[in-house]
Amino acid sequence: YDSGFNAGARAGYEWGPWRFEEEYSYRDNGNNSVQLGSVIGTRLSGSRTTNAIMTNAIYDFTFGWPGTPHIGVGIGAVELNDTLKAPNVGQISNSSNWEFGYQAIAGLRYDISPVWAFDVDYRYLATTDATFQSRPFTVNGVAVPAVKYKSGYSTNSLVASLTYRFAPPPPSPPLPPPAAAPAAAPLPQQQAVLV
């Protein structure tokens, strides 16, 4: 597959160093190097697009740096859409499947203000193998029946995103005041008695 693009949106909840989010992302990759056995002497072209709905958990490492590194994982469902075109024939496949998806996340967050943050992430997304089906067609006088084919899917994405916090994170609690030194016990008073 050729390089493509990834666009989407996320919403979630930030709880201390943890972030929990729901993510929708759309990916599009073209291809021009599919070979269908030895029947077709030229390569097929087409594209693969995906709609991914993922639930992610991300942990922020707070070292006091300007940027906050983070790692995370996600699981969800991914719809894989496959199209293939044969030369002088046109489209021979346009099928889709929903598959189990999983992803690994690593990146850096920079807080622009208490409510705005900028993230740069590496995201690796993969799915279980999907089964697609082509339609029957004829090329160079040869009839090609409909075939089912399996294909794995994995992507490596570099994603930049802008995040808005609807409520800024609470400030760190102030340090307690130092404990006061214990008061000295009063000295006993002496009284003079006149007889």
Side-chain angles (χ1 to χ4, degrees), residues 3 7 10 12 36 39-40 42 45 48 57 70 76-77 87 91 95 101 127 138 144 151 154 156 162 169 182 189-190:
S3 296
R10 303 190 311 265
L36 186 60
V39 176
I40 300 176
T42 57
S45 62
R48 169 140 327 146
H70 56 262
Q91 187 166 289
S95 58
T127 69
T138 302
V144 180
S151 176
S154 63
N156 297 282
L162 191 61
Q189 294 183 357
Q190 296 187 6

Side-chain angles (χ1 to χ4, degrees), residues 14 19 66-70 107-111 117-119 163 165:
E14 189 172 329
R19 285 185 273 146
T68 305
H70 56 262
L108 189 69
R109 166 169 278 192
Y110 177 74
D111 288 325
F118 179 74
D119 289 284
T163 302
R165 294 183 182 105

